[in-house]
Amino acid sequence: MRVGFIGMGLMGIPMSKNILEKGFELTVYNRTKEKTKELFDLGAKVVDSPMDLARVVDVVITMVTAGRDLELILFGDNGVVNGANEGLIVVDMSTIGPSFAKNIALKLSQKRIDFIDAPVTGSTPKAITGNLTIFIGGDEKIYEKIKSILASIGNNLQYMGPIGCGQAIKLINNHLIATSIESLAEGMLLADAMGLSRKKVSDVLKTSPAMSEFMNLKIFNFVTDDFPLLFSASNMMKDLLLANKEAKKNSIKLPMLDKIVDIYRKVIKKGLGDRDMSIIIDLLKK
Amino acid sequence: MRVGFIGMGLMGIPMSKNILEKGFELTVYNRTKEKTKELFDLGAKVVDSPMDLARVVDVVITMVTAGRDLELILFGDNGVVNGANEGLIVVDMSTIGPSFAKNIALKLSQKRIDFIDAPVTGSTPKAITGNLTIFIGGDEKIYEKIKSILASIGNNLQYMGPIGCGQAIKLINNHLIATSIESLAEGMLLADAMGLSRKKVSDVLKTSPAMSEFMNLKIFNFVTDDFPLLFSASNMMKDLLLANKEAKKNSIKLPMLDKIVDIYRKVIKKGLGDRDMSIIIDLLKK
C-alpha cells in the first residue's frame, strides 16, 4: 500500500518515520516544505500539494492542528479530493471532534472517498517509539484495510465504532488528561505550602495508585520548572472546547470540564498558549 | 512488639488481620464492641477502653474517621494517655491533616509519648491483601522501630519527613483521586451523549495512559451503575476540606480543589454522603 502523510509537526514527523521504517512506500506533504527534509533524507517522496500527494497514494493520513486545516487540505484548491484515485482512503489522526469528523466523512463520501477517524494519545515520546494509542472510528471493513499502517504507528489500536467514535473517546481522554495535570499542579502548590519538597512528592506519588502514566510523564516538569513542549496549551484548549461543544449540544452540565476550560482560557490569555500544557502551574503561583 | 489497634472499620479490620497474621501479639478496641468479634475469633485480645489497650501494648495504632475521634481516643476519660507505659508509640493511620497531626504530636510529647502520622491509600481491596501505600511522617528513629508492623499492612512504605508530612502527601493524593473520579464520571456522561457505550469506553480507557490504577478500580461502577462502598463520599469530603484548609491557611488559590469541594458538598446535601465516593456521577445526571 502506498501511503501519503500530511502534517510534519511534533507528532507527524516521528509517526511518518515509523511508517517508512515498516517498509511502506511513503509520500509526504507539509505547508512549510523545509519540515519535510528529515523524511526526504530517509527516503520519502516529497510533493508540493495535497492534490499531488493524493495522485500517487492509496491512503492519505492527515495529522494537523484543527478541523479547518483538515478542510483546506481535503477540499481546498489543491486539495486531496482533486487528486484522488478511485478507492482512496483518508485517515485523519488529528483531534477534530465527532461532529466535524461526521461532516468531513459525509463530504468525502460524495466524492466516493472513504474516511476513518483515528486520533491518537500518548504525546511525542510514544510517537517516536511507535507506541501510540489510536482510537478508531469508521466502517470496520475499511479499517481492516489500513490496520497494518496504523500498527506501524501505535501498539494499542482500539476500534470504537462508526465515524466519530474515535474522536469521541479522544475528547473524553483529553478531558481526563487536562484535569489530572491541573490537579497535579495544584498538588505541587499544596506541597510547597505544607513544606514538602516537590522532588520528594514526585518520587513518592509515582508509586501511588492515584497516578496515571500521563501524570508520571509530566510530574517532573513541576520539579525542574522546565516544560518541554510535547502538547501545547492551545492544542489542549482546542480539544477541551470540542468536548464542551458536545456537552452543550447534548445539554449536559459538566462542572469540571467547564472549570478546566476556564483555566486554560486564562493560560492562553496570559500568552502561554504555545507552551506545553503543563505550564498550567504558572497560573496558580501566588 | 505488642500491638494495639483502635478502629474496626472497613480498613481497620483487614489491617488488623494482617498484623495478627504476621505474628504480632494484637489487642483491639472499638467503640461498638461487636465489630471486634472477627478479630477476637482469630486470636486477638479485646479490651473495653483505649486506656486498657494502652496498658498492655508497646505500640497503639489508630484508624478512625476524623481528628476529633482521635482526640477522644487519646485524651478522653478512658483515653490512651491514661494507660500509657513508658516508651509508648502512637501511630495514627487516619487522615486528619498535617496541622492536626502536629497538634496531637505536641500534646502527646508532653506525656512523653512518641507519635507517627501514617495515613494510607489504596481502599479496602489493598487493605485486605496487605498492599496499602503508607505515607509516614515523624522522627525517623521512631519510624524504624515500628516499620515491621507497617510492613505487615502495606507493601509501599514512604517516609516523607517530620510530623505531618505523611498527612500532607495524603491530602495531595486524595485531591488527585477525587478530581480524577469526577472527570471520569463526566467522561461517561459525554460518552452517553456521543453514542459510545460505557462498557466499551471502560474497556478501552483501561488501556489509556490517562488512566490511573485508582480510576481503573472505579470505572466499572459507572458501567454497572453499582457503587460498592470502599471509601465514602463524606470521608472524601473530609479530606478535601482538610486540603482546602491548608490552602487557605497558606493563601494559595486552587480552583480545581475548590470546585471538587463544591461538587462533594452537593453530593452530601443530596443525602449520598454514606455512599461510595464514585456516586458523584449521580449528581451529573440530567
Side-chain angles (χ1 to χ4, degrees):
Chain A
M1 233 170 343
R2 297 168 302 165
V3 181
F5 202 109
I6 297 178
M8 296 287 109
L10 279 174
M11 298 294 285
I13 289 176
M15 288 161 79
S16 299
K17 281 187 188 172
N18 282 322
I19 292 171
L20 199 61
E21 204 161 88
K22 285 284 162 16
F24 291 99
E25 193 187 321
L26 184 71
T27 305
V28 301
Y29 166 77
N30 196 67
R31 203 168 35 186
T32 318
K33 199 170 181 178
E34 62 197 16
K35 286 190 179 169
T36 60
K37 188 174 179 319
E38 200 175 343
L39 269 300
F40 176 78
D41 291 344
L42 289 167
K45 202 182 293 179
V46 176
V47 290
D48 288 324
S49 75
M51 179 177 69
D52 290 345
L53 182 128
R55 282 189 176 126
V56 296
V57 301
D58 306 302
V59 177
V60 172
I61 297 179
T62 51
M63 186 64 180
V64 294
T65 305
R68 60 176 181 283
D69 306 313
L70 181 64
E71 230 166 6
L72 262 175
I73 283 165
L74 296 178
F75 308 109
D77 279 347
N78 294 303
V80 166
V81 297
N82 296 322
N85 297 306
E86 207 186 308
L88 183 72
I89 302 171
V90 171
V91 181
D92 179 50
M93 305 192 76
S94 328
T95 303
I96 58 173
S99 303
F100 205 91
K102 282 178 205 163
N103 186 32
I104 292 283
L106 185 67
K107 283 170 75 175
L108 284 176
S109 74
Q110 287 156 359
K111 305 273 179 186
R112 303 173 137 257
I113 298 171
D114 285 310
F115 183 72
I116 292 284
D117 63 302
V120 303
T121 185
S123 286
T124 319
K126 298 215 164 198
I128 292 169
T129 55
N131 291 320
L132 291 166
T133 291
I134 308 179
F135 303 123
I136 299 113
D139 185 321
E140 204 162 0
K141 281 189 209 110
I142 305 298
Y143 164 53
E144 288 300 332
K145 288 186 190 171
I146 55 121
K147 198 171 179 177
S148 62
I149 306 170
L150 296 186
S152 71
I153 307 172
N155 66 341
N156 183 20
L157 272 52
Q158 297 287 355
Y159 178 74
M160 297 304 299
I163 294 281
C165 286
Q167 290 294 330
I169 194 158
K170 173 68 192 284
L171 299 187
I172 295 170
N173 191 74
N174 276 18
H175 174 17
L176 298 180
I177 282 177
T179 311
S180 62
I181 297 305
E182 163 65 13
S183 306
L184 199 57
E186 294 192 5
M188 286 299 183
L189 276 275
L190 265 177
D192 297 347
M194 296 186 293
L196 292 177
S197 86
R198 290 190 185 186
K199 173 72 170 63
K200 181 79 187 166
V201 170
S202 165
D203 290 347
V204 171
L205 276 188
K206 273 180 189 273
T207 71
S208 160
M211 294 288 284
S212 66
E213 200 184 329
F214 194 89
M215 288 158 91
N216 278 329
L217 176 73
K218 296 289 181 191
I219 192 168
F220 208 61
N221 296 3
F222 302 136
V223 179
T224 55
D225 209 29
D226 183 27
F227 306 87
L229 181 62
L230 296 179
F231 184 43
S232 76
S234 296
N235 274 350
M236 180 52 95
M237 180 63 168
K238 170 188 71 79
D239 296 356
L240 294 170
L241 286 174
L242 288 170
N244 222 8
K245 192 175 138 189
E246 295 295 324
K248 285 194 167 54
K249 196 174 127 186
N250 292 280
S251 315
I252 52 172
K253 180 108 193 68
L254 305 177
M256 201 62 92
L257 178 60
D258 288 342
K259 179 52 81 180
I260 191 72
V261 163
D262 180 46
I263 293 170
Y264 270 104
R265 187 170 285 130
K266 285 175 186 156
V267 168
I268 288 162
K269 206 174 162 187
K270 216 178 154 184
L272 301 170
D274 290 339
R275 305 290 301 276
D276 186 74
M277 49 96 51
S278 56
I279 198 70
I280 199 164
I281 197 169
D282 261 30
L283 204 78
L284 301 172
K285 284 178 184 162
K286 270 200 252 192
Chain B
M1 232 169 345
R2 298 167 304 165
V3 181
F5 202 110
I6 297 177
M8 297 285 110
L10 279 174
M11 298 293 283
I13 290 176
M15 288 162 79
S16 300
K17 280 187 189 171
N18 282 323
I19 293 171
L20 198 61
E21 206 162 85
K22 284 288 161 13
F24 291 99
E25 194 186 319
L26 184 72
T27 306
V28 301
Y29 166 77
N30 195 67
R31 204 167 35 185
T32 319
K33 200 172 181 175
E34 62 198 16
K35 287 191 180 169
T36 60
K37 191 177 178 313
E38 199 174 344
L39 269 299
F40 176 79
D41 290 345
L42 290 167
K45 204 183 293 179
V46 176
V47 291
D48 289 323
S49 75
M51 179 177 70
D52 290 345
L53 180 128
R55 281 189 177 127
V56 297
V57 300
D58 308 301
V59 177
V60 172
I61 297 178
T62 50
M63 186 65 180
V64 295
T65 304
R68 61 178 181 281
D69 306 312
L70 180 63
E71 228 163 10
L72 262 175
I73 284 164
L74 297 177
F75 308 110
D77 279 348
N78 295 304
V80 165
V81 298
N82 297 319
N85 296 306
E86 208 186 305
L88 183 72
I89 302 170
V90 171
V91 181
D92 178 49
M93 305 192 76
S94 328
T95 303
I96 59 173
S99 303
F100 204 92
K102 283 177 203 163
N103 186 32
I104 292 282
L106 185 68
K107 283 170 77 177
L108 284 176
S109 74
Q110 287 156 359
K111 304 275 180 184
R112 304 174 136 257
I113 298 171
D114 286 309
F115 182 72
I116 292 283
D117 63 300
V120 302
T121 185
S123 286
T124 320
K126 298 217 164 196
I128 292 169
T129 56
N131 290 320
L132 290 167
T133 291
I134 309 180
F135 303 122
I136 299 113
D139 186 320
E140 203 162 1
K141 282 190 207 108
I142 306 297
Y143 164 52
E144 287 300 331
K145 287 186 191 171
I146 55 120
K147 199 172 177 175
S148 62
I149 306 169
L150 296 187
S152 70
I153 306 171
N155 66 342
N156 182 21
L157 272 53
Q158 297 288 353
Y159 178 75
M160 297 303 301
I163 294 281
C165 286
Q167 290 294 332
I169 194 157
K170 173 69 193 280
L171 298 188
I172 294 170
N173 190 74
N174 276 19
H175 173 17
L176 297 181
I177 282 176
T179 311
S180 62
I181 297 304
E182 164 63 13
S183 307
L184 199 57
E186 293 192 5
M188 286 300 184
L189 276 274
L190 266 177
D192 296 348
M194 296 186 292
L196 292 177
S197 87
R198 291 191 184 185
K199 174 72 169 64
K200 180 78 185 169
V201 170
S202 165
D203 290 347
V204 171
L205 276 187
K206 271 180 189 268
T207 71
S208 160
M211 293 288 284
S212 66
E213 199 183 330
F214 194 89
M215 287 158 91
N216 278 330
L217 177 72
K218 295 290 181 190
I219 192 168
F220 207 63
N221 296 2
F222 301 137
V223 179
T224 54
D225 209 29
D226 183 28
F227 306 88
L229 181 63
L230 296 179
F231 184 43
S232 76
S234 296
N235 275 349
M236 180 52 94
M237 179 63 167
K238 171 188 72 78
D239 295 357
L240 293 171
L241 286 174
L242 288 169
N244 221 8
K245 193 174 138 188
E246 295 294 325
K248 284 192 168 54
K249 197 174 128 187
N250 292 282
S251 314
I252 51 172
K253 181 105 193 67
L254 305 178
M256 202 60 93
L257 179 60
D258 288 344
K259 179 52 79 180
I260 190 73
V261 163
D262 179 48
I263 293 170
Y264 270 104
R265 187 171 285 127
K266 285 177 187 155
V267 168
I268 289 163
K269 205 172 162 189
K270 214 178 155 183
L272 301 169
D274 291 339
R275 304 291 299 277
D276 186 73
M277 49 94 55
S278 55
I279 197 72
I280 200 164
I281 198 169
D282 261 30
L283 205 76
L284 301 171
K285 284 178 185 161
K286 271 200 250 192

mmCIF file of all heavy atoms in Angstrom, chain A residues 11 14-15 17-18 21-22 122-133 151-155 213:
data_model
loop_
_atom_site.group_PDB
_atom_site.id
_atom_site.type_symbol
_atom_site.label_atom_id
_atom_site.label_comp_id
_atom_site.label_asym_id
_atom_site.label_seq_id
_atom_site.Cartn_x
_atom_site.Cartn_y
_atom_site.Cartn_z
ATOM 1 N N MET A 11 4.182 15.493 16.132
ATOM 2 C CA MET A 11 3.704 14.114 16.072
ATOM 3 C C MET A 11 3.939 13.514 14.687
ATOM 4 O O MET A 11 4.352 12.368 14.557
ATOM 5 C CB MET A 11 2.202 14.074 16.398
ATOM 6 C CG MET A 11 1.834 14.550 17.781
ATOM 7 S SD MET A 11 2.454 13.474 19.101
ATOM 8 C CE MET A 11 1.312 12.088 18.965
ATOM 9 N N PRO A 14 7.714 11.946 13.693
ATOM 10 C CA PRO A 14 8.025 10.584 14.188
ATOM 11 C C PRO A 14 7.053 9.511 13.680
ATOM 12 O O PRO A 14 7.455 8.375 13.412
ATOM 13 C CB PRO A 14 7.967 10.713 15.712
ATOM 14 C CG PRO A 14 7.290 12.017 16.001
ATOM 15 C CD PRO A 14 7.521 12.890 14.814
ATOM 16 N N MET A 15 5.784 9.874 13.517
ATOM 17 C CA MET A 15 4.819 8.895 13.004
ATOM 18 C C MET A 15 5.190 8.478 11.578
ATOM 19 O O MET A 15 5.169 7.291 11.232
ATOM 20 C CB MET A 15 3.398 9.476 13.057
ATOM 21 C CG MET A 15 2.837 9.582 14.476
ATOM 22 S SD MET A 15 1.444 10.744 14.612
ATOM 23 C CE MET A 15 0.103 9.758 13.965
ATOM 24 N N LYS A 17 8.112 8.594 10.182
ATOM 25 C CA LYS A 17 9.342 7.787 10.220
ATOM 26 C C LYS A 17 9.022 6.320 10.474
ATOM 27 O O LYS A 17 9.595 5.427 9.857
ATOM 28 C CB LYS A 17 10.264 8.283 11.341
ATOM 29 C CG LYS A 17 11.059 9.513 11.000
ATOM 30 C CD LYS A 17 12.032 9.757 12.161
ATOM 31 C CE LYS A 17 12.759 11.061 12.047
ATOM 32 N NZ LYS A 17 13.525 11.337 13.277
ATOM 33 N N ASN A 18 8.103 6.070 11.409
ATOM 34 C CA ASN A 18 7.759 4.686 11.729
ATOM 35 C C ASN A 18 7.073 3.978 10.563
ATOM 36 O O ASN A 18 7.272 2.788 10.343
ATOM 37 C CB ASN A 18 6.888 4.627 12.990
ATOM 38 C CG ASN A 18 7.730 4.808 14.241
ATOM 39 O OD1 ASN A 18 8.853 4.312 14.314
ATOM 40 N ND2 ASN A 18 7.211 5.536 15.216
ATOM 41 N N GLU A 21 9.795 3.178 8.149
ATOM 42 C CA GLU A 21 10.651 2.115 8.686
ATOM 43 C C GLU A 21 10.024 0.728 8.546
ATOM 44 O O GLU A 21 10.739 -0.271 8.425
ATOM 45 C CB GLU A 21 10.912 2.421 10.166
ATOM 46 C CG GLU A 21 12.172 1.808 10.709
ATOM 47 C CD GLU A 21 12.597 2.515 11.993
ATOM 48 O OE1 GLU A 21 12.119 2.079 13.054
ATOM 49 O OE2 GLU A 21 13.378 3.490 11.931
ATOM 50 N N LYS A 22 8.684 0.689 8.571
ATOM 51 C CA LYS A 22 7.994 -0.608 8.453
ATOM 52 C C LYS A 22 7.872 -1.026 6.989
ATOM 53 O O LYS A 22 7.218 -2.017 6.673
ATOM 54 C CB LYS A 22 6.616 -0.542 9.124
ATOM 55 C CG LYS A 22 6.688 -0.582 10.651
ATOM 56 C CD LYS A 22 6.985 -1.979 11.167
ATOM 57 C CE LYS A 22 7.500 -2.066 12.590
ATOM 58 N NZ LYS A 22 7.375 -0.953 13.476
ATOM 59 N N GLY A 122 -0.821 9.923 23.614
ATOM 60 C CA GLY A 122 0.490 9.452 24.031
ATOM 61 C C GLY A 122 1.624 10.454 23.861
ATOM 62 O O GLY A 122 2.725 10.194 24.319
ATOM 63 N N SER A 123 1.396 11.566 23.198
ATOM 64 C CA SER A 123 2.421 12.609 23.020
ATOM 65 C C SER A 123 3.649 12.105 22.247
ATOM 66 O O SER A 123 3.746 10.919 21.911
ATOM 67 C CB SER A 123 2.889 13.189 24.355
ATOM 68 O OG SER A 123 1.921 14.040 24.904
ATOM 69 N N THR A 124 4.580 13.023 22.011
ATOM 70 C CA THR A 124 5.747 12.759 21.164
ATOM 71 C C THR A 124 6.578 11.527 21.575
ATOM 72 O O THR A 124 6.968 10.746 20.703
ATOM 73 C CB THR A 124 6.654 14.002 21.109
ATOM 74 O OG1 THR A 124 5.811 15.159 21.006
ATOM 75 C CG2 THR A 124 7.560 13.960 19.901
ATOM 76 N N PRO A 125 6.870 11.311 22.865
ATOM 77 C CA PRO A 125 7.716 10.157 23.202
ATOM 78 C C PRO A 125 7.157 8.841 22.648
ATOM 79 O O PRO A 125 7.895 7.999 22.143
ATOM 80 C CB PRO A 125 7.720 10.147 24.734
ATOM 81 C CG PRO A 125 7.407 11.546 25.131
ATOM 82 C CD PRO A 125 6.517 12.098 24.062
ATOM 83 N N LYS A 126 5.847 8.685 22.727
ATOM 84 C CA LYS A 126 5.222 7.452 22.233
ATOM 85 C C LYS A 126 5.084 7.464 20.707
ATOM 86 O O LYS A 126 5.031 6.397 20.082
ATOM 87 C CB LYS A 126 3.858 7.264 22.875
ATOM 88 C CG LYS A 126 3.970 7.123 24.390
ATOM 89 C CD LYS A 126 2.962 6.168 24.944
ATOM 90 C CE LYS A 126 3.374 5.783 26.345
ATOM 91 N NZ LYS A 126 2.717 4.577 26.805
ATOM 92 N N ALA A 127 5.039 8.663 20.127
ATOM 93 C CA ALA A 127 5.041 8.736 18.663
ATOM 94 C C ALA A 127 6.392 8.255 18.152
ATOM 95 O O ALA A 127 6.483 7.566 17.135
ATOM 96 C CB ALA A 127 4.775 10.167 18.209
ATOM 97 N N ILE A 128 7.456 8.607 18.858
ATOM 98 C CA ILE A 128 8.811 8.222 18.461
ATOM 99 C C ILE A 128 9.001 6.707 18.528
ATOM 100 O O ILE A 128 9.525 6.085 17.610
ATOM 101 C CB ILE A 128 9.859 8.949 19.344
ATOM 102 C CG1 ILE A 128 9.842 10.459 19.022
ATOM 103 C CG2 ILE A 128 11.264 8.367 19.130
ATOM 104 C CD1 ILE A 128 10.621 11.333 19.983
ATOM 105 N N THR A 129 8.527 6.115 19.620
ATOM 106 C CA THR A 129 8.741 4.666 19.800
ATOM 107 C C THR A 129 7.675 3.820 19.090
ATOM 108 O O THR A 129 7.747 2.588 19.118
ATOM 109 C CB THR A 129 8.747 4.296 21.296
ATOM 110 O OG1 THR A 129 7.514 4.765 21.877
ATOM 111 C CG2 THR A 129 9.911 4.948 22.029
ATOM 112 N N GLY A 130 6.699 4.488 18.474
ATOM 113 C CA GLY A 130 5.643 3.723 17.794
ATOM 114 C C GLY A 130 4.681 3.063 18.755
ATOM 115 O O GLY A 130 4.054 2.058 18.431
ATOM 116 N N ASN A 131 4.546 3.640 19.934
ATOM 117 C CA ASN A 131 3.678 3.060 20.958
ATOM 118 C C ASN A 131 2.442 3.891 21.265
ATOM 119 O O ASN A 131 1.946 3.904 22.390
ATOM 120 C CB ASN A 131 4.475 2.843 22.247
ATOM 121 C CG ASN A 131 5.507 1.749 22.106
ATOM 122 O OD1 ASN A 131 5.234 0.727 21.485
ATOM 123 N ND2 ASN A 131 6.687 1.958 22.645
ATOM 124 N N LEU A 132 1.952 4.603 20.269
ATOM 125 C CA LEU A 132 0.765 5.418 20.487
ATOM 126 C C LEU A 132 -0.474 4.545 20.726
ATOM 127 O O LEU A 132 -0.520 3.395 20.291
ATOM 128 C CB LEU A 132 0.515 6.314 19.280
ATOM 129 C CG LEU A 132 1.531 7.442 19.069
ATOM 130 C CD1 LEU A 132 1.378 8.045 17.681
ATOM 131 C CD2 LEU A 132 1.387 8.520 20.150
ATOM 132 N N THR A 133 -1.445 5.126 21.431
ATOM 133 C CA THR A 133 -2.781 4.540 21.485
ATOM 134 C C THR A 133 -3.587 5.221 20.383
ATOM 135 O O THR A 133 -3.550 6.445 20.261
ATOM 136 C CB THR A 133 -3.419 4.803 22.865
ATOM 137 O OG1 THR A 133 -2.707 4.032 23.849
ATOM 138 C CG2 THR A 133 -4.889 4.399 22.896
ATOM 139 N N ALA A 151 -0.778 0.054 12.711
ATOM 140 C CA ALA A 151 0.027 -0.792 13.608
ATOM 141 C C ALA A 151 1.507 -0.412 13.576
ATOM 142 O O ALA A 151 2.257 -0.761 14.490
ATOM 143 C CB ALA A 151 -0.160 -2.260 13.245
ATOM 144 N N SER A 152 1.922 0.311 12.535
ATOM 145 C CA SER A 152 3.323 0.752 12.492
ATOM 146 C C SER A 152 3.527 2.022 13.327
ATOM 147 O O SER A 152 4.651 2.410 13.636
ATOM 148 C CB SER A 152 3.757 0.996 11.042
ATOM 149 O OG SER A 152 3.128 2.153 10.525
ATOM 150 N N ILE A 153 2.441 2.664 13.719
ATOM 151 C CA ILE A 153 2.485 3.927 14.485
ATOM 152 C C ILE A 153 2.145 3.708 15.952
ATOM 153 O O ILE A 153 2.677 4.364 16.842
ATOM 154 C CB ILE A 153 1.462 4.946 13.904
ATOM 155 C CG1 ILE A 153 1.658 5.145 12.402
ATOM 156 C CG2 ILE A 153 1.568 6.263 14.638
ATOM 157 C CD1 ILE A 153 0.559 5.982 11.770
ATOM 158 N N GLY A 154 1.205 2.783 16.187
ATOM 159 C CA GLY A 154 0.707 2.577 17.546
ATOM 160 C C GLY A 154 0.729 1.110 17.936
ATOM 161 O O GLY A 154 0.667 0.243 17.077
ATOM 162 N N ASN A 155 0.825 0.851 19.233
ATOM 163 C CA ASN A 155 0.792 -0.540 19.708
ATOM 164 C C ASN A 155 -0.527 -0.858 20.398
ATOM 165 O O ASN A 155 -0.741 -1.954 20.876
ATOM 166 C CB ASN A 155 1.966 -0.826 20.643
ATOM 167 C CG ASN A 155 1.868 -0.038 21.936
ATOM 168 O OD1 ASN A 155 1.146 0.956 21.999
ATOM 169 N ND2 ASN A 155 2.576 -0.474 22.962
ATOM 170 N N GLU A 213 -0.019 7.070 33.912
ATOM 171 C CA GLU A 213 1.210 7.127 33.131
ATOM 172 C C GLU A 213 1.428 8.553 32.606
ATOM 173 O O GLU A 213 2.552 9.056 32.597
ATOM 174 C CB GLU A 213 1.066 6.146 31.959
ATOM 175 C CG GLU A 213 2.368 5.726 31.350
ATOM 176 C CD GLU A 213 2.151 4.826 30.130
ATOM 177 O OE1 GLU A 213 1.155 4.081 30.078
ATOM 178 O OE2 GLU A 213 2.999 4.897 29.226
#
